[in-house]
Amino acid sequence: MTPPRSRGWAVLRNLAVPALALAVVATVPFSSPDSAESDQAADAWTPMSPVSVSYELAGHGKGAKAAKGNLLGFNDFHGAIDPPTGSGGLVNGTPAGGVEYLTTWVKKLRAEAKAERRESVTVGAGDLVGATPLVSAAFHDEPSIELLNNAGLQISSVGNHEFDEGTDELRRLQRGGCHPVDGCQDGDGFKGAKFNYLAANVVQKRTGLPLMLPVDIRIVDGVPVGFVGMTLKGTPSIVNPSGITSVEFRDEIESANKWGALLRLAGIKSMVLLIHEGGAQAAPPNPQPVDGCANFAGPITNIVAGLRPEFGIVVSGHTHRFYSCQLPNSAGTPTVVTSAGSNGVLVTDIDFTLDKRSGKFTEIAARNVIVENGVRNPDGSWQTDANGAFVRNPALVDASAKKIADKYRTAVAPIANRVVGKITADITSIANAAGESALGDVIADAQLAYTAAANAQIALMNPGGIRASMTFANSPGGEAPGDVTYGECFTVQPFNNLVVTQTFTGAQLKDVLEQQFVGFGGQTTQRILQVSAGFTYSYDSTQPAGSKVSDLALDGTPIDPAATYRVTTNDFLANGGDGFTHLTAGTDRATAPGFDIDALVAYLGAGTPVAPGPQNRITKRG
């Protein structure tokens, strides 16, 4: 049973969040926290084991009263109502994921926490929606929100994909109401998210205030715990710029510490950062442990290094990797940092203890739990059907989640299960050493063919827009192996981008390709564009920025810097997405009818079954 809460903290819980949202953060004093009381105890921990941290607090004796809490965290759900297929649905060989199974495991872990008399809070770290399969995307991700409500999610940061349809749509997902164009398609209205979306570093340009609530406060056995949520500062470079013109994305460390300071002024001394930014483990070993921290690196390391030490827990995301780490904060003391992969394949189970007198963390331990959904054979392997697909375990299906999911599956089935074409083999999104993938080739070819009427000569595709591979044996609607459904195509390209063709000089085209690499034209992340048949080039990554690309040719003829060429991309790229600002310099823009998925559907259904792309259009020389 939850202990009674004091009236004072009840008032704080109801009023502090909106009050803090309206505070003038520029006036917050940045006094140094009393970090001397947060020295790490000498508990042994290695990067190969689940993270566990103890803190020694001044004046904290054996008789000190403790409050026990629990966090259940996941990130990058991406509307995974059905279990993901291929490698995306495996965790070190274990089939996992899908909302019916995620809900089961969350409820199981929540019950375990309750049995230990731990108050549990379920949290997310962004990209819960966006880049979703058709069963969610066809209804503007209302199914995902409804299912996450059902799973008991309470707080989440926003991620970059929460902005895929713009800021107004994000606010609708939070507040509810029918879609302004498509209405309430399922016929029973939409009440919005029961959980709070936090966006501490997303600020409205007109008012200077956060777009969404920046913080939340939960009372754990009488002790307040503060939550700050945010997305990565680089969000504008990876979403369509047209949907975020009214907001700016501020520095993660500065934003976390400003709102952390406000929470500290309110008397809150234990804080959790929910952030859509992360890192990754690296070999050795291979595979990495699901809750290890082997050879860890990534942007989250520097972010944690700048955080106030009150942030004892950081639930992260964005990289789609799994880990549990302890990383030093600004005081040099350890902060527990976790991530649960993507698509609901893992849940992070975080136990913590608070000192009731000081309100500070005394112990934190985290582990990643695999959301298993398969059936084991006697030898420990996993059962598969005649087509090689994993058999799902009906005993692990949550009935309440299945009821909601089935409603939307039934509604979308006539569209999703329509066979639109054929493939000859698996066509994967896995890039070779040059950064070219077989599926990237196919999609670029599809867009080139789709824009022939606009006199397109070259097509370029951003790799981040390819969300899944095409699997020969996958048969979601019972279709024959090799048949591809509309729903499978949508899983590959779920963004409904427009397809546009523009004119560039050869010199401008070279600049576009140079902007694939860090340091040219403001680019901060290397991204190798996928290219259509007939167009080839080489690059040498060891050369200076702006001089890496060479040997550009179209059908064997060198690209003339002074000549003009018609180049097709999606409108995300054409508007400068992924840092490709040089693509905004095109002229004579022509927009094809429909969306990018229509180009892929038309290409797959043109007659002959489509083979994997040759991956021979880009040459890496160094």
Side-chain angles (χ1 to χ4, degrees):
M1 178 181 295
T2 302
R5 301 174 180 176
S6 69
R7 176 174 174 80
W9 281 118
V11 173
L12 178 62
R13 174 69 182 87
N14 291 325
L15 299 181
V17 170
L20 288 171
L22 296 174
V24 182
V25 297
T27 64
V28 174
F30 288 91
S31 57
S32 298
D34 41 354
S35 58
E37 295 186 358
S38 300
D39 293 329
Q40 181 190 7
D43 288 358
W45 175 76
T46 73
M48 302 303 297
S49 60
V51 65
S52 180
V53 174
S54 296
Y55 303 92
E56 292 181 353
L57 304 181
H60 179 83
K62 292 184 178 180
K65 293 185 178 180
K68 297 196 298 183
N70 170 260
L71 295 181
L72 300 176
F74 52 87
N75 50 277
D76 297 273
F77 176 65
H78 289 296
I81 292 175
D82 297 316
T85 59
S87 61
L90 288 172
V91 179
N92 291 351
T94 298
V99 75
E100 295 156 324
Y101 306 95
L102 175 65
T103 305
T104 293
W105 285 94
V106 167
K107 288 182 177 180
K108 177 179 181 293
L109 293 170
R110 192 179 291 139
E112 290 177 0
K114 183 178 180 180
E116 297 175 1
R117 297 187 177 181
R118 292 185 178 274
E119 293 193 36
S120 187
V121 182
T122 304
V123 300
D127 277 11
L128 306 179
V129 299
T132 51
L134 187 63
V135 67
S136 182
F139 305 96
H140 298 281
D141 284 328
E142 293 171 15
S144 291
I145 297 295
E146 188 174 346
L147 283 157
L148 292 171
N149 287 343
N150 177 71
L153 184 64
Q154 293 164 278
I155 315 169
S156 179
S157 71
V158 295
N160 54 285
H161 281 290
E162 266 77 15
F163 294 91
D164 281 349
E165 293 192 45
T167 54
D168 289 344
E169 176 64 2
L170 171 56
R171 283 185 287 210
R172 185 186 75 87
L173 290 178
Q174 176 72 84
R175 300 170 183 171
C178 297
H179 189 271
V181 175
D182 294 330
C184 287
Q185 295 166 279
D186 64 355
D188 60 6
F190 177 61
K191 297 181 180 179
K194 293 180 181 178
F195 56 92
N196 286 333
Y197 260 130
L198 305 183
N201 67 331
V202 186
V203 177
Q204 299 176 77
K205 293 178 181 178
R206 184 177 61 85
T207 64
L209 296 174
L211 175 72
M212 315 287 285
L213 289 174
V215 301
D216 200 341
I217 301 167
R218 301 286 160 150
I219 309 301
V220 176
D221 194 12
V223 179
V225 178
F227 293 80
V228 179
M230 64 184 67
T231 185
L232 70 158
K233 181 183 178 182
T235 291
S237 69
I238 50 177
V239 301
N240 201 318
S242 62
I244 56 171
T245 57
S246 64
V247 294
E248 62 177 291
F249 295 79
R250 294 185 173 174
D251 180 77
E252 301 97 336
I253 299 171
E254 178 185 352
S255 298
N257 286 340
K258 282 185 176 180
W259 290 106
L262 282 171
L263 289 169
R264 184 67 173 81
L265 287 175
I268 298 169
K269 300 175 184 178
S270 293
M271 302 176 198
V272 178
L273 178 63
L274 310 175
I275 181 168
H276 192 68
E277 180 61 291
Q281 300 185 71
N286 195 12
Q288 285 83 45
V290 295
D291 41 22
C293 192
N295 301 300
F296 187 81
I300 195 65
T301 301
N302 289 335
I303 292 172
V304 173
L307 292 180
R308 300 169 60 96
E310 290 96 341
F311 285 104
I313 301 171
V314 173
V315 179
S316 66
H318 188 53
T319 58
H320 291 199
R321 304 298 183 91
F322 45 72
Y323 47 83
S324 69
C325 299
Q326 60 178 52
L327 301 176
N329 54 42
S330 63
T333 54
T335 291
V336 170
V337 183
T338 69
S339 179
S342 64
N343 294 305
V345 298
L346 292 161
V347 178
T348 307
D349 184 15
I350 306 171
D351 287 340
F352 61 89
T353 304
L354 303 161
D355 177 41
K356 284 194 171 185
R357 185 182 64 81
S358 68
K360 296 180 179 182
F361 288 116
T362 59
E363 294 179 335
I364 305 170
R367 64 184 180 120
N368 278 328
V369 179
I370 300 177
V371 179
E372 295 182 9
N373 61 26
V375 178
R376 283 194 184 272
N377 292 312
D379 64 358
S381 62
W382 298 97
Q383 290 185 22
T384 57
D385 61 21
N387 294 324
F390 288 106
V391 175
R392 309 301 179 183
N393 190 343
L396 295 175
V397 170
D398 180 82
S400 63
K402 185 178 188 303
K403 181 178 179 180
I404 298 168
D406 281 349
K407 176 181 72 170
Y408 290 106
R409 288 172 180 141
T410 300
V412 83
I415 301 171
N417 295 334
R418 177 170 60 91
V419 174
V420 298
K422 295 178 180 293
I423 56 177
T424 65
D426 290 352
I427 306 179
T428 77
S429 58
I430 300 171
N432 61 15
E436 184 178 355
S437 73
L439 186 51
D441 287 352
V442 168
I443 291 174
D445 290 348
Q447 294 188 2
L448 181 65
Y450 194 67
T451 52
N455 300 313
Q457 298 166 279
I458 299 166
L460 306 173
M461 175 64 192
N462 56 308
I466 305 172
R467 305 304 297 186
S469 298
M470 286 189 168
T471 305
F472 183 83
N474 190 35
S475 301
E479 68 279 1
D483 284 352
V484 180
T485 65
Y486 184 87
E488 289 177 278
C489 290
F490 197 91
T491 299
V492 171
Q493 287 189 274
F495 296 112
N496 277 343
N497 289 316
L498 301 174
V499 184
V500 301
T501 305
Q502 302 180 91
T503 298
F504 294 87
T505 66
Q508 289 175 316
L509 179 58
K510 182 178 184 297
D511 283 346
V512 168
L513 297 178
E514 293 285 2
Q515 206 168 23
Q516 296 174 115
F517 305 99
V518 175
F520 184 79
Q523 184 60 273
T524 59
T525 303
Q526 179 170 305
R527 297 181 175 93
I528 302 299
L529 297 171
Q530 309 299 289
V531 303
S532 56
F535 181 64
T536 58
Y537 73 92
S538 302
Y539 72 87
D540 185 342
S541 59
T542 67
Q543 296 301 308
S547 302
K548 298 180 185 293
V549 176
S550 61
D551 304 326
L552 285 72
L554 181 60
D555 297 323
T557 302
I559 294 291
D560 181 350
T564 57
Y565 301 87
R566 295 286 283 167
V567 179
T568 293
T569 67
N570 56 47
D571 67 327
F572 166 73
L573 282 174
N575 293 338
D578 274 352
F580 285 97
T581 55
H582 282 282
L583 280 170
T584 65
T587 59
D588 301 322
R589 180 182 291 204
T591 301
F595 301 104
D596 51 0
I597 186 176
D598 298 311
L600 181 59
V601 166
Y603 190 73
L604 292 171
T608 305
V610 173
Q615 296 179 268
N616 62 359
R617 301 165 186 178
I618 305 171
T619 301
K620 182 180 180 182
R621 301 197 183 280

